[in-house]
Amino acid sequence: MARARYWEPIAQWMFIVPAGAYLLLFFGYPIVKNVVMSFQQYTTTTFYTGAAPFVGLRNYSEILSSALFSKALLTTVLFTAGSIAGQFVLGLAFALFFHRRFPLGGVLRSLLLLPWLLPLVVSATTWKWMLDTDTGVVNDVLRDLHLQSSGIPWLTGTSQALVSVMVVNIWVGIPFNTTILYSGLQEIPAHLYEAAKLDGAGPMASFRHVTWPLLRPAVNVVLVLGAVYTVKVLDLILVVTGGGPANATETLATQSYELSFQQFEFGRGAAMSNVLVAISLTFAFVYLRAHRRAQHA
Amino acid sequence: MKHAPNRGRPSTIVGIVLLAVMLFPVYWMVNASLQPAGNTLQGGWFPFHPDFSGYVTALRDQGRNLVTSLIVALGSVVLSLGLAAPAAYALAHLPIRGTNFVLFGVLITQMVPGIVVANALYSAYNDLGLLNSYLGLILADSTAGVPFAIIVLRSFMRGIPREIIEAARVDGAGRLRIFRSVVLPVSANSLITAALFTFLFTWSDFLFALTLTTTETVRPITLGIYEYIGAHTNHWNAIMATAVAASAPAAVLLVIAQRYVAAGATSGAMK
């Protein structure tokens, strides 16, 4: 018995130590390493000589003062806000639609998940082709309907490209929004709707006084997680526009990738990605607060 | 009241139309993969005369990359569940101090952009010789699977009644026995959910494939498609055939394991 008591705490810890070690190595280490790198002049030469001199805040001051940064920041904000607004409104509409019971409803709802399950690179590649100026199906349709004689440069026009990548990202994000909001709707007790009906509430009034307040926890989760996922979107933009044309779709995430892996300025890339981390962490705290409130509700 | 038949039918029609619009890109991908090679789409709106040359080219060029993705994804499932299942059990049932701290850490990992991890891993991998290796990719790709699996499995395991565990304990089973022969079998459904998502995350990974592989030796299919767009823009049918092949796991999951997918989405986000 004494032996068991001695071993017990160690045995318990053995369950959690491997996962903890992994998380420390693959999240803890990169976060710390990025902070250190962001104060260093860390370039390709570093890989040969091992020398990465500390340069203080120079990486940050260079990045923050560059014209591209303020543009990329604005693009990130527009991309995130536009994507979330679009996927939330459409996702909510789909959730409300599927909340009514009708034949095939369940099958259709599960098919709706497909855009979210496909690899992002696959969706992005397909959209890239659909939006092609000369050979894309979107312009084909517009021409056939005589809405447009020459093709619209969806991805190569500086004023269209950002909207185009947003549309693709909205398409990808709708299923997630629908799924979470739908499960939120399912948890609202039916008798509340019956009570509202007895009080003479129409569909609009019962949405405002029953659905919306009770859906709030799910709405919070969807909006904050959406923001966290969207600020760091990288693959979609890289594939669809590559950040172009003329940096029109360059975000903080694509900038950070380019600095590190195309210009091999790892120090500046790290500084850029730390700005992204700071933004994500802000959302993280909003998320945790919303989460806690949802659990206490 | 909800069973009135004519109230449902218009909704079904609207639903089918909405779905058709939403899934048009998926249809277009399949349609394009069945067209003859060429820069423009000569075949039109329907693949009346399906041409499989795109698939032949795709399999020849990308077959190896598909196998690579499969190896990496399966490896990541094994690693993620192997790490996450015991941790989830400990966080759900063992009186370990600091549980909240660990859970907070797990939540925070969801906020860390992949580029931060890639940036740091590139130099570490360079020193350790893990660039262009299966192991390197499996380890990096599991950054999506491990935290997700911990969250999903813990939220399920918390629901396992204490009495079951206590009963096994009274019978003299140790923590490991209880975990292996009581907790794991009861959690089969949530293990499947976590495994499916981990597989999908890894199969879909692009960022780590792009940054942590530099040669063709270990090249996942996502990177294969990306390189393809750069090199063969006049072979859209082959690019789209590769895209269809890369979508196969998602389609299979949707058909076979649909209920696990919806369960995973909600439990991963809400709990």
Side-chain angles (χ1 to χ4, degrees):
Chain A
M1 244 7 231
R3 237 172 87 96
R5 195 169 301 162
Y6 176 72
W7 280 108
E8 184 70 15
I10 297 170
Q12 291 183 0
W13 276 101
M14 285 319 290
F15 281 92
I16 208 161
V17 163
Y22 175 85
L23 293 178
L24 279 180
L25 278 175
F26 284 85
F27 286 103
Y29 166 76
I31 291 172
V32 173
K33 175 84 178 168
N34 251 264
V35 172
V36 175
M37 264 172 133
S38 71
F39 297 118
Q40 285 176 304
Q41 190 181 351
Y42 204 108
T43 58
T44 24
T45 21
T46 307
F47 293 112
Y48 297 107
T49 62
F54 279 87
V55 291
L57 291 168
R58 205 173 75 199
N59 289 327
Y60 287 96
S61 65
E62 271 178 24
I63 284 168
L64 296 176
S65 63
S66 76
L68 205 51
F69 175 81
S70 40
K71 191 168 188 309
L73 183 63
L74 179 67
T75 306
T76 307
V77 170
L78 289 176
F79 177 75
T80 306
S83 296
I84 289 179
Q87 67 199 28
F88 175 74
V89 169
L90 290 170
L92 180 61
F94 273 107
L96 288 169
F97 176 75
F98 283 113
H99 189 49
R100 298 146 19 118
R101 261 163 230 224
F102 55 87
L104 289 182
V107 178
L108 294 174
R109 190 166 48 83
S110 56
L111 281 176
L112 182 68
L113 286 168
L114 201 52
W116 180 55
L117 296 179
L118 294 183
L120 258 185
V121 175
V122 166
S123 313
T125 305
T126 308
W127 277 96
K128 185 186 171 75
W129 191 42
M130 286 172 48
L131 293 171
D132 189 272
T133 312
D134 302 316
T135 61
V137 64
V138 174
N139 278 342
D140 276 354
V141 170
L142 292 178
R143 267 191 295 261
D144 289 349
L145 295 172
H146 297 288
L147 288 170
Q148 186 71 30
S149 52
S150 59
I152 295 174
W154 295 110
L155 303 177
T156 47
T158 44
S159 45
Q160 290 92 348
L162 183 57
V163 176
S164 299
V165 288
M166 263 189 236
V167 167
V168 181
N169 195 48
I170 288 170
W171 183 78
V172 170
I174 287 173
F176 178 74
N177 280 259
T178 303
T179 305
I180 305 297
L181 293 172
Y182 175 84
S183 79
L185 286 174
Q186 295 289 89
E187 281 170 25
I188 300 177
H191 68 82
L192 291 180
Y193 287 107
E194 280 151 30
K197 213 170 189 175
L198 283 178
D199 289 344
M204 281 306 280
S206 77
F207 178 82
R208 241 186 56 201
H209 297 297
V210 181
T211 311
W212 186 251
L214 289 169
L215 199 58
R216 276 308 289 270
V219 170
N220 285 342
V221 165
V222 141
L223 290 181
V224 179
L225 280 186
V228 167
Y229 293 141
T230 313
V231 284
K232 59 182 184 187
V233 165
L234 174 60
D235 23 16
L236 188 142
I237 297 176
L238 272 189
V239 174
V240 177
T241 61
N247 301 323
T249 54
E250 203 77 79
T251 62
L252 296 179
T254 63
Q255 263 295 292
S256 167
Y257 166 75
E258 264 159 41
L259 284 169
S260 289
F261 291 100
Q262 293 192 315
Q263 302 175 23
F264 298 107
E265 288 281 354
F266 285 92
R268 285 202 282 154
M272 185 66 99
S273 62
N274 284 337
V275 175
L276 200 57
V277 172
I279 296 174
S280 292
L281 282 181
T282 314
F283 286 124
F285 286 109
V286 176
Y287 174 79
L288 288 174
R289 283 193 58 187
H291 194 72
R292 209 169 301 150
R293 231 178 311 151
Q295 281 192 333
H296 286 291
Chain B
M1 140 195 113
K2 278 174 176 157
H3 298 289
N6 3 339
R7 279 191 59 186
R9 225 159 270 154
S11 294
T12 305
I13 293 165
V14 173
I16 289 172
V17 172
L18 285 176
L19 248 288
V21 173
M22 269 299 282
L23 296 188
F24 179 77
V26 182
Y27 167 73
W28 202 241
M29 168 178 79
V30 176
N31 177 40
S33 74
L34 294 168
Q35 304 289 350
N39 201 359
T40 48
L41 183 77
Q42 290 104 350
W45 287 81
F46 303 99
F48 285 124
H49 306 287
D51 180 313
F52 289 94
S53 63
Y55 284 89
V56 174
T57 314
L59 270 185
R60 192 195 60 211
D61 295 351
Q62 305 275 4
R64 194 187 145 149
N65 298 342
L66 281 167
V67 175
T68 299
S69 282
L70 194 65
I71 294 171
V72 174
L74 289 176
S76 180
V77 169
V78 172
L79 178 69
S80 297
L81 292 194
L83 292 175
Y89 168 62
L91 290 172
H93 279 286
L94 300 184
I96 287 181
R97 259 178 296 163
T99 300
N100 282 331
F101 179 73
V102 177
L103 280 173
F104 180 76
V106 172
L107 269 175
I108 288 293
T109 62
Q110 308 262 6
M111 323 287 169
V112 178
I115 186 70
V116 168
V117 179
N119 205 359
L121 285 188
Y122 182 84
S123 65
Y125 273 23
N126 192 46
D127 295 340
L128 297 167
L130 281 172
L131 292 175
N132 301 309
S133 71
Y134 288 108
L135 181 63
L137 267 188
I138 290 170
L139 285 167
D141 283 344
S142 299
T143 50
V146 171
F148 179 84
I150 291 177
I151 293 171
V152 168
L153 294 176
R154 175 180 173 270
S155 80
F156 180 88
M157 287 174 181
R158 271 204 324 176
I160 300 174
R162 253 171 215 289
E163 293 78 47
I164 299 183
I165 292 165
E166 287 307 319
R169 208 162 164 63
V170 170
D171 288 348
R175 292 288 181 199
L176 198 60
R177 261 296 289 291
I178 294 174
F179 175 67
R180 249 199 354 235
S181 28
V182 180
V183 174
L184 283 187
V186 175
S187 313
N189 277 348
S190 63
L191 286 167
I192 294 172
T193 307
L196 290 180
F197 271 86
T198 303
F199 186 93
L200 266 189
F201 290 151
T202 307
W203 180 272
S204 307
D205 163 66
F206 174 65
L207 182 62
F208 293 126
L210 182 66
T211 52
L212 302 178
T213 68
T214 52
T215 62
E216 284 182 21
T217 45
V218 179
R219 170 160 296 172
I221 190 66
T222 47
L223 192 58
I225 296 175
Y226 186 64
E227 306 270 300
Y228 233 19
I229 327 176
H232 297 267
T233 26
N234 53 340
H235 284 88
W236 271 104
N237 62 344
I239 297 174
M240 288 297 146
T242 312
V244 172
S247 309
V252 169
L253 288 189
L254 198 61
V255 174
I256 298 177
Q258 189 265 116
R259 66 198 179 99
Y260 296 111
V261 173
T266 44
S267 65
M270 305 288 273
K271 277 147 198 168

